[in-house]
Amino acid sequence: WTKLILWVLLATTASGIRLAAARGAYPSCGDSSHFVQHGVALAHGVPGAMSTYWSQGMIAIAAQAVNMGKDPRYAMQTTTLISGVIVCLLFTGIVWLLTKSKYLAFMSGMILSVNPTMVHYSITGYSEMPYMAFLMAGVCAGLIKRMNSILKYGLAGALIGLGGYFKGLDAAVA
């Protein structure tokens, strides 16, 4: 029960902080306005709308939102908000897998959940949080001991590769 309570407490804290911050944030500031621009163009079939520079994952999310009749700015903000919570949980999982200490893992996740920079990137529609979520999911998959090696590393590679649609290699290493 203790582990479940700690996970629920962490998820609730991370979600609550991000939801409160998102209420006052502009959902599509900075670079994310380019994602909207390209997403709207992609949804309307404009040739070349899928950028080779801007985050293709966020452009696809914006385009899908337009096709569904939704505001792409809020679709991207929702994506980053959910990804931010997932990053906190996955980081907790990574620390637990490395240390086997549920309390150290919990405290690490709590520190990440209240970190102002992590909260900022979780509410602005930027591509960093989905990228981090896929990256950390890949690391988690690679650290799991009870999985066939080929499956484990294949899954880890696939998840990290999917993250590349949100943050290109040139931007990720910069």
Side-chain angles (χ1 to χ4, degrees):
W1 283 103
T2 305
K3 285 183 193 176
L4 178 62
I5 291 169
L6 292 177
W7 281 100
V8 169
L9 181 60
L10 178 61
T12 303
T13 301
S15 300
I17 289 170
R18 282 154 179 75
L19 284 169
R23 294 188 72 200
Y26 185 70
S28 179
C29 58
D31 290 351
S32 60
S33 62
H34 295 286
F35 308 152
V36 172
Q37 174 189 358
H38 285 278
V40 169
L42 182 64
H44 290 99
V46 175
M50 183 55 87
S51 174
T52 57
Y53 179 76
W54 298 108
S55 168
Q56 295 174 341
M58 295 306 272
I59 291 170
I61 288 168
Q64 186 61 35
V66 169
N67 286 335
M68 294 171 55
K70 305 292 183 193
D71 187 333
R73 298 170 308 156
Y74 292 110
M76 293 186 322
Q77 185 182 44
T78 301
T79 299
T80 58
L81 196 146
I82 292 168
S83 297
V85 173
I86 290 170
V87 164
C88 293
L89 296 172
L90 287 170
F91 184 72
T92 302
I94 289 170
V95 172
W96 181 78
L97 286 167
L98 292 173
T99 67
K100 299 299 183 216
S101 169
K102 64 183 169 192
Y103 296 110
L104 179 61
F106 174 73
M107 289 310 298
S108 299
M110 285 301 270
I111 289 169
L112 203 64
S113 74
V114 300
N115 179 290
T117 302
M118 297 300 286
V119 172
H120 170 74
Y121 281 104
S122 295
I123 62 171
T124 54
Y126 293 152
S127 59
E128 281 77 7
M129 279 301 116
Y131 169 71
M132 288 294 296
F134 278 113
L135 181 65
M136 288 196 178
V139 170
C140 259
L143 290 172
I144 294 172
K145 299 214 185 302
R146 292 187 210 126
M147 191 185 290
N148 174 305
S149 290
I150 293 173
L151 178 62
K152 171 170 61 171
Y153 296 123
L155 178 61
L159 288 165
I160 292 169
L162 283 171
Y165 285 103
F166 290 90
K167 202 78 175 156
L169 185 58
D170 58 331
V173 296

